[in-house]
Amino acid sequence: MLRVQQQHSLTHLNSFGFQSVAEYFFEIQNSTELPDLLTYCRQLKLPLLLLGGGSNVILSDRIPGVVALMAMKGQQIEFHDLHRVLLTVAAGESWHETVKYSLEQGCFGLENLALIPGTVGAAPVQNIGAYGVELKDRLSRVEVFDTQEQVMRWLSPSECHFGYRESIFKSIEAGRFIITQVEFSLTTHSDQLNLEYQALRETSEKYAAGDPITPLHVFDAVCYLRQQKLPNPADIGNAGSFFKNPRVNLQEYLQLKESFPDLVGFADGDAYKLAAGWLIEACGWKGKRLESVGVYEKQALVLVNRGGGNRQQIERIASAIQHDVEQRFAVRLEVEPRYYP
Ligand code: FAD
Ligand code: NAP
């Protein structure tokens, strides 16, 4: 028997801290509960929303249907060969604690992704990324419950169609798969570091103090840099970067660069990635407030709840920012977190 609760508050389960109530609420402790949960939703014709840490969602005050909190726990390490390690982690585990745990076991590769809020199961949904590393770079496979076929199966990285903050879980197959476990492919080599980002390289060097830089130095550097720049959702409600960094082609990039010589952009394959935070700041939005929400004063890409904000207010400020950036740079900013419903 499923223990479904009614009228359950989600206010402490979304990192914006918006007041929200789920019509029905259920905590998934084990993947064996999934078939019954699906049957329950189908029989009562209720939509299902999966929630991990709630750090990439924008919730309305009422969420119709069932909200299922991914609470499955557990991890397992298997040494594949001398240098390759397979780490399998249940969907409900904390992402940051998993990064810490992997390093404590002498398994490296996740250090650039430290301090990202949320759960392991949500990480493939937007192919989380930071400091030049994306989840897909360290992923071996993803275990899912396929709600269409009603079976558990493993998906390979190519089947997940990962892109920049994208995957099938967020796009073409949104709502079809419930991610139950993630298997990572990590290394015991401590010298395979990604230090492409200047600030990360410089801070890691400081932590290493003249010794060779290790994954633990990188982990400490990432935590330090993020704490300097990003608001802690426990203090100020937010969902991290609110917009994706837009892509333009070479010609568009050169035209923009001519008009705005300080523009921050990076070559990315045959396109250019523009720093959305720079575009927003250039439009004068950094630190501004509209009603009870605003733009964070240390990072213009982060929208914050100043207390008492809600989904409608975030939509209004996001539209105003999109409008201004489009008018000035002819570039459309795409929202990264998802609105519910
Ligand atoms: P939720 O917000 O609960 O859910 C996100 C989406 O995934 C929803 O659509 C939900 O339905 C779906 N989902 C959740 N669990 C599952 C599951 N098991 N199976 C299928 N679907 C599921 N993101 C980055 O990429 N890089 C960063 O550096 C980064 N930094 C951040 C910093 C801050 C301060 C904050 C607040 C957010 C940041 N984020 C970042 C965004 C966010 O932390 C990530 O997207 C994270 O993976 C979301 O995890 P979650 O458990 O909170 O997901
Ligand atoms: P930052 O290091 O100041 O960089 C600003 C922007 O420039 C970032 O958007 C980053 O792109 C890009 N960039 C910087 N150096 C680069 C390089 N060497 N090559 C390619 N692109 C480069 O950014 P920040 O705000 O302090 O964040 C640090 C990292 O954490 C970034 O990777 C950012 O994506 C990640 N982060 C993500 C979220 C989220 O919610 N998605 C929230 C906070 C931080 P990328 O964004 O593509 O890396």
Side-chain angles (χ1 to χ4, degrees):
M1 243 287 274
L2 296 178
R3 285 202 190 158
V4 178
Q5 299 171 44
Q6 289 189 31
Q7 306 302 320
H8 188 90
S9 171
L10 303 175
T11 306
H12 298 291
L13 296 176
N14 76 98
S15 63
F16 260 122
F18 291 160
Q19 284 199 1
S20 180
V21 175
E23 190 181 4
Y24 298 95
F25 181 81
F26 179 68
E27 256 187 63
I28 304 174
Q29 305 286 351
N30 196 304
S31 51
T32 54
E33 296 164 325
L34 293 172
D36 285 349
L37 177 64
L38 257 284
T39 306
Y40 181 87
C41 291
R42 282 186 183 156
Q43 279 175 350
L44 297 180
K45 295 193 170 54
L46 297 170
L48 171 66
L49 163 61
L50 301 172
L51 204 58
S55 63
N56 215 21
V57 292
I58 307 151
L59 301 183
S60 305
D61 54 357
R62 302 204 72 74
I63 307 291
V66 179
V67 172
L69 188 73
M70 301 301 291
M72 306 106 123
K73 302 286 182 203
Q75 64 266 95
Q76 189 184 316
I77 281 193
E78 187 189 319
F79 284 81
H80 195 58
D81 59 37
L82 204 55
H83 299 298
R84 188 98 336 243
V85 183
L86 292 178
L87 170 64
T88 311
V89 187
E93 290 284 355
S94 143
W95 174 264
H96 177 66
E97 290 306 318
T98 298
V99 174
K100 257 169 67 181
Y101 173 79
S102 65
L103 293 172
E104 282 159 12
Q105 304 305 309
C107 310
F108 309 124
L110 298 179
E111 53 280 353
N112 292 46
L113 302 175
L115 223 54
I116 298 179
T119 54
V120 167
V125 174
Q126 77 152 1
N127 180 27
I128 57 167
Y131 295 104
V133 173
E134 291 181 344
L135 176 90
K136 71 171 173 53
D137 305 327
R138 307 290 184 254
L139 190 82
S140 161
R141 52 188 187 150
V142 181
E143 187 194 59
V144 294
F145 180 73
D146 182 342
T147 59
Q148 237 170 54
E149 309 288 331
Q150 298 254 10
V151 287
M152 300 289 297
R153 54 190 262 222
W154 286 93
L155 298 180
S156 67
S158 67
E159 287 177 293
C160 298
H161 294 282
F162 289 121
Y164 179 72
R165 308 282 190 267
E166 266 304 340
S167 73
I168 48 162
F169 308 113
K170 208 177 171 183
S171 55
I172 43 172
E173 296 288 8
R176 173 171 172 183
F177 297 113
I178 300 176
I179 297 167
T180 48
Q181 294 193 87
V182 179
E183 187 181 80
F184 303 93
S185 174
L186 305 175
T187 176
T188 55
H189 283 296
S190 60
D191 56 355
Q192 295 177 0
L193 304 173
N194 183 328
L195 296 170
E196 277 166 37
Y197 281 42
Q198 191 185 347
L200 182 59
R201 190 174 55 249
E202 289 172 1
T203 311
S204 300
E205 278 165 1
K206 278 190 197 145
Y207 276 100
D211 288 335
I213 300 174
T214 68
L216 289 179
H217 295 130
V218 178
F219 173 87
D220 288 339
V222 169
C223 292
Y224 171 81
L225 287 169
R226 294 181 71 101
Q227 280 162 346
Q228 295 304 301
K229 248 182 148 171
L230 295 170
N232 180 348
D235 305 324
I236 306 174
N238 75 94
S241 303
F242 198 85
F243 300 102
K244 295 182 187 179
N245 290 321
R247 266 43 183 183
V248 294
N249 63 35
L250 174 64
Q251 198 189 346
E252 290 164 329
Y253 176 73
L254 293 176
Q255 274 170 4
L256 280 168
K257 195 75 183 159
E258 202 178 328
S259 311
F260 306 97
D262 297 339
L263 177 81
V264 178
F266 297 86
D268 182 20
D270 51 8
Y272 274 79
K273 173 181 76 178
L274 304 179
W278 187 91
L279 301 173
I280 297 166
E281 189 173 348
C283 290
W285 275 102
K286 197 174 187 177
K288 270 205 177 164
R289 182 177 174 144
L290 201 65
E291 304 169 88
S292 299
V293 296
V295 179
Y296 192 52
E297 48 280 6
K298 293 187 194 163
Q299 166 54 292
L301 197 45
V302 178
L303 301 189
V304 292
N305 176 10
R306 291 288 173 202
N310 57 35
R311 175 205 163 127
Q312 288 76 15
Q313 294 182 6
I314 278 289
E315 273 185 287
R316 281 196 282 276
I317 195 171
S319 301
I321 292 169
Q322 283 170 320
H323 172 269
D324 287 1
V325 168
E326 202 161 359
Q327 288 289 305
R328 184 130 190 234
F329 302 106
V331 170
R332 180 75 183 163
L333 292 181
E334 193 187 331
V335 172
E336 186 182 288
R338 287 184 62 186
Y339 287 100
Y340 287 103

